[in-house]
């Protein structure tokens, strides 16, 4: 059944971003496909990235790893950033998942279950997950990857980036033979000495810029479009939507569009949101409601069934996120299951 709102995913653009990041860093890209591939669909995205040469993937949760293993088959290496929760070792092993261990109790849980290939996370300043460098364990059988995560990779001038990098380089020396992975998307753009043995980008694969704004080096991947359900002429003095969120000083033509917050079109798009319609960027009017939003199409030739782009190649993801007061990551991962994902190339 056709749907009036669709998230269209350009797998060719995903592939181009993958190769662009490899060319830029000179390091293999180990894609991060957590949160269902940032909302775009992990099975389809990872399958395409595998076809482009990716052999190692990162997810956040064990369950995401299980689903990815089912989709990709036995070949690729899959790391679980959460690590190994109490009692989870057997499940991880059954799906051949490698936990990224982040504290002593996880090491114990993993080794008591027989151990095997795993990663280690060193916390170089984010204070989120991982061993402080001074507490980093002696190496042990199975450590195949050592990693750390940047707190401010989207701010190239932030001095913390290099401090973290140097702490990581020193700590990683304790794990000879382990793959060293440090850079997320932003980190890929910080220079060659941030790349180490493998990079770990997410958002830039999916079309977000490394500094939270549109960047020509990254191709747009996801397009959220929705159909016009009705077009109406609103006379001066009337209002549009809940709470009279928009009041017409002059007559306006309004398109009611099939995307609302139940689709992931954040309510915080009001009042700065915009959409691309009939070749122009036009403001959203009033409140976003559950199933629809209103777009100003005054003077435009717009009819029922026409498509409006909420973000995509013409209304860029980072700009849409900024208008909603958030970041591209949250915009993408907020798109709900009601919106079918359609894959194009
Ligand atoms: C999410 C995540 C990444 C990917 O980050 P991006 O900014 O999307 O490139 C890399 N490493 C870790 C530990 C993460 O949690």
């Amino acid at each position: 059944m056709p749907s009036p709102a669709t998230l269209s995913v350009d797998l060719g653009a995903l592939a181009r971003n993958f190769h662009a990041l490899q060319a830029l860093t000179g390091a293999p890209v180990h894609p991060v496909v957590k949160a269902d591939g940032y909302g775009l669909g992990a099975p389809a995205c990872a399958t395409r990235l595998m076809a482009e040469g990716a052999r190692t993937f990162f997810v956040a949760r064990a369950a995401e790893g299980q689903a990815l293993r089912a989709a990709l088959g036995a070949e690729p290496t899959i790391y679980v950033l959460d690590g190994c929760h109490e009692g989870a070792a057997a499940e991880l092993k059954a799906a051949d998942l490698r936990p990224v261990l982040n504290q002593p109790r996880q090491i114990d849980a993993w080794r008591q279950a027989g151990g095997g290939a795993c990663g280690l996370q060193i916390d170089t300043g984010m204070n989120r997950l991982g061993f402080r460098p001074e507490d980093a364990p002696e190496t042990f059988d199975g450590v195949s990857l050592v990693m750390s995560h940047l707190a401010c990779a989207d701010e190239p001038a932030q001095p913390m980036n290099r401090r973290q990098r140097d702490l990581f380089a020193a700590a990683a020396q304790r794990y000879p033979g382990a793959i060293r992975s440090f850079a997320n998307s932003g980190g890929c753009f910080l220079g060659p000495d941030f790349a180490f043995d493998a990079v770990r980008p997410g958002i830039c694969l999916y079309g977000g810029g490394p500094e939270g704004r549109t960047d020509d080096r990254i191709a747009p991947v996801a397009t959220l479009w929705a159909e016009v359900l009705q077009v109406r002429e609103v006379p001066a003095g009337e209002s549009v939507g809940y709470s009279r969120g928009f009041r017409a000083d002059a007559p306006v033509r309004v398109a009611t569009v099939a995307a609302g917050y139940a689709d992931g079109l954040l309510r915080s798009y009001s009042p700065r949101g915009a959409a691309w319609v009939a070749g122009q960027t036009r403001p959203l009017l009033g409140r976003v409601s559950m199933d629809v939003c209103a777009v100003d199409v005054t003077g435009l030739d717009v009819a029922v069934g026409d498509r409006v782009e909420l973000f995509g190649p013409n209304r860029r993801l980072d700009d849409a996120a900024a208008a909603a007061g958030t970041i591209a990551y949250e915009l993408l991962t907020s798109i709900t299951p009601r919106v079918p994902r359609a894959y194009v190339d």
Side-chain angles (χ1 to χ4, degrees):
M1 203 191 302
S3 170
T6 296
L7 185 68
S8 168
V9 179
D10 183 344
L11 294 173
L14 175 76
R16 288 199 296 284
N17 289 337
F18 172 79
H19 292 297
L21 291 167
Q22 284 196 157
L24 175 73
T25 59
V29 165
H30 290 358
V32 178
V33 296
K34 62 191 179 187
D36 199 24
Y38 288 41
L40 274 52
C45 291
T47 298
R48 178 56 186 263
L49 291 166
M50 240 181 108
E52 300 295 326
R55 286 295 173 273
T56 300
F57 296 88
F58 286 88
V59 294
R61 310 268 190 257
E64 294 176 343
Q66 289 169 326
L68 193 64
R69 177 63 74 208
L72 298 184
E75 190 191 346
T77 298
I78 302 173
Y79 285 99
V80 177
L81 291 166
D82 272 2
C84 179
H85 294 273
E86 236 82 352
E91 280 187 342
L92 290 166
K93 283 172 180 289
D96 190 21
L97 304 175
R98 302 186 183 188
V100 180
L101 306 173
N102 56 45
Q103 53 193 301
R105 60 195 288 172
Q106 290 206 342
I107 295 184
D108 293 344
W110 186 243
R111 295 179 81 180
Q112 268 162 28
C118 62
L120 275 185
Q121 173 138 212
I122 309 296
D123 192 309
T124 49
M126 194 165 187
N127 281 312
R128 195 172 70 164
L129 289 174
F131 297 88
R132 295 180 72 88
E134 63 270 27
D135 302 331
E138 294 299 323
T139 193
F140 54 89
D141 271 356
V143 179
S144 57
L145 172 120
V146 57
M147 57 165 275
S148 189
H149 192 45
L150 283 158
C152 309
D154 57 345
E155 298 170 49
Q158 167 61 252
M160 184 167 170
N161 291 327
R162 181 149 299 275
R163 281 205 303 277
Q164 285 194 272
R165 185 248 163 236
D166 292 346
L167 282 171
F168 176 65
Q173 287 180 1
R174 306 181 67 154
Y175 309 99
I179 302 275
R180 297 168 302 162
S181 171
F182 184 59
N184 66 337
S185 294
C188 290
F189 292 80
L190 294 179
D193 52 343
F194 284 74
F196 292 93
D197 302 323
V199 294
R200 218 172 54 239
I203 195 68
C204 281
L205 291 171
Y206 307 111
E211 295 176 36
R213 54 175 181 269
T214 302
D215 190 306
D216 287 341
R217 294 167 292 187
I218 297 299
V221 173
T223 304
L224 178 64
W225 60 260
E227 285 182 6
V228 173
L229 297 172
Q230 190 167 14
V231 180
R232 59 202 312 121
E233 311 293 335
V234 175
E238 295 195 5
S239 61
V240 175
Y242 284 118
S243 306
R244 308 195 68 200
F246 172 79
R247 298 180 196 209
D249 295 331
V252 282
R253 177 177 294 165
V254 177
T256 303
V257 172
Y261 58 78
D263 301 295
L265 189 73
L266 302 178
R267 203 162 165 277
S268 57
Y269 267 119
S270 329
R272 290 191 311 279
W276 175 262
V277 51
Q280 292 189 14
T281 302
R282 284 303 186 88
L284 264 55
L285 298 178
R287 304 265 166 97
V288 174
S289 51
M290 187 182 289
D291 310 308
V292 297
C293 61
V295 179
D296 182 349
V297 294
T298 306
L300 296 180
D301 186 15
V302 170
V304 170
D306 285 358
R307 288 179 177 192
V308 170
E309 181 183 313
L310 283 318
F311 59 75
N314 302 299
R315 169 76 179 153
R316 296 295 293 268
L317 180 65
D318 289 296
D319 299 325
T326 184
I327 54 177
Y329 304 73
E330 191 182 27
L331 215 59
L332 288 181
T333 57
S334 297
I335 306 299
T336 64
R338 184 163 85 175
V339 180
R341 277 62 172 166
Y343 298 96
V344 299
D345 203 330

